[in-house]
Amino acid sequence: MPTIVMASSKGGAGKTTAAITLASELSRQGEEKDVRVALIDADPNKHGAKWAKKPGCPKNLNVYESDEETIIDDIETAEEENAFVIVDLEGTASIAVANAVSRADLVIIPCQGSQDDADEAVKTIKLLRQQSKAFRRKIAYSVLFTRTSAAIVPRTLKFIVGQFKDAGVDVFNVSLIEKDAYKAVRSYGGIVNRLDPKEVSGIEVTASNAKAYAEEVKRKLKEIMSGDSDG
């Protein structure tokens, strides 16, 4: 079963939001057929695990709390029990990060639209290329921009996206937009689609964004599994 790893060399890039959004949307889509989804929280802050313990977590989502000593075993167990495995890592280079990315079918590199974040994403890409050589296997990866505007694309972001593409780095067409609904999920628990519209604005737009993100992940995985990916 595919393993998707969120990796970044810095904190605050949006890894946990990207992991929770993907896990909750895949779980929502698979609820009726009881498609199991795993979220492995290997970040010492355990924000993903804390979200899952709040009301409204999908019943078909399995959460594993992990660390650098157990990460490989946890990934193997999760792969046996779930249709999708999503791993949230700490925002630094560590043994846990190196081990997890070595088992990934797809590594998602969250990045905000600033040059500093882009430079940190490049560090993560270098780590992935080193791991590819060390384990003698291709590790597919793609940059996901986070906290973007739903209305406009700033010139700086266009420039950074262009830099990545010119360098042959795969970039998501979808970005995670800056919306209160994503923040509300982290505070209240549950998933975007089931927030109360009387309390939270922008639910419909955010739910559509989450679905588009999950669909692009599935398309990338399909390409990777079929050998058509250039990542």
Side-chain angles (χ1 to χ4, degrees), residues 3-204:
T3 295
I4 306 114
V5 173
M6 307 291 165
S8 173
S9 61
K10 68 182 287 293
K15 287 187 294 72
T16 299
T17 296
I20 289 173
T21 300
L22 182 59
S24 59
E25 176 59 21
L26 291 175
S27 297
R28 184 191 70 81
Q29 293 181 10
E31 270 183 324
E32 289 188 5
K33 295 183 179 180
D34 195 32
V35 175
R36 312 298 292 179
V37 177
L39 174 61
I40 299 178
D41 191 344
D43 188 324
N45 294 314
K46 294 292 182 285
H47 290 310
K50 291 174 183 175
W51 159 77
K53 291 173 183 176
K54 294 178 180 180
C57 182
K59 293 181 179 179
N60 56 327
L61 177 62
N62 297 317
V63 179
Y64 305 72
E65 296 188 39
S66 190
D67 56 37
E68 67 180 31
E69 293 182 0
T70 65
I71 186 70
I72 294 296
D73 289 338
D74 290 335
I75 289 175
E76 289 182 347
T77 298
E79 287 176 339
E80 292 175 359
E81 300 174 348
N82 301 273
F84 295 94
V85 178
I86 297 138
V87 185
D88 185 20
L89 297 170
E90 61 183 314
T92 184
S94 68
I95 294 174
V97 172
N99 286 341
V101 300
S102 74
R103 301 300 298 266
D105 295 295
L106 171 64
V107 177
I108 297 176
I109 306 169
C111 177
Q112 295 190 64
S114 71
Q115 191 61 51
D116 287 346
D117 268 48
D119 292 343
E120 293 296 330
V122 170
K123 291 181 183 178
T124 302
I125 290 169
K126 288 180 180 178
L127 170 64
L128 296 177
R129 289 175 176 171
Q130 290 170 354
Q131 292 301 102
S132 291
K133 290 182 180 179
F135 288 92
R136 296 183 179 181
R137 62 176 292 262
K138 184 177 181 180
I139 300 174
Y141 57 84
S142 185
V143 174
L144 171 71
F145 283 95
T146 62
R147 301 192 178 109
T148 61
S149 169
I152 60 171
V153 180
R155 180 179 295 181
T156 303
L157 178 56
K158 290 181 181 178
F159 175 76
I160 293 170
V161 170
Q163 282 185 311
F164 280 125
K165 290 185 175 181
D166 288 345
V169 175
D170 188 68
V171 178
F172 272 80
N173 292 319
V174 174
S175 63
L176 289 188
I177 57 177
E178 180 74 36
K179 283 291 182 180
D180 285 341
Y182 282 133
K183 297 176 183 177
V185 164
R186 299 285 297 274
S187 295
Y188 307 145
I191 66 176
V192 169
N193 306 64
R194 293 167 193 162
L195 292 171
D196 187 344
K198 295 179 181 178
E199 296 181 354
V200 182
S201 63
I203 292 175
E204 186 175 341

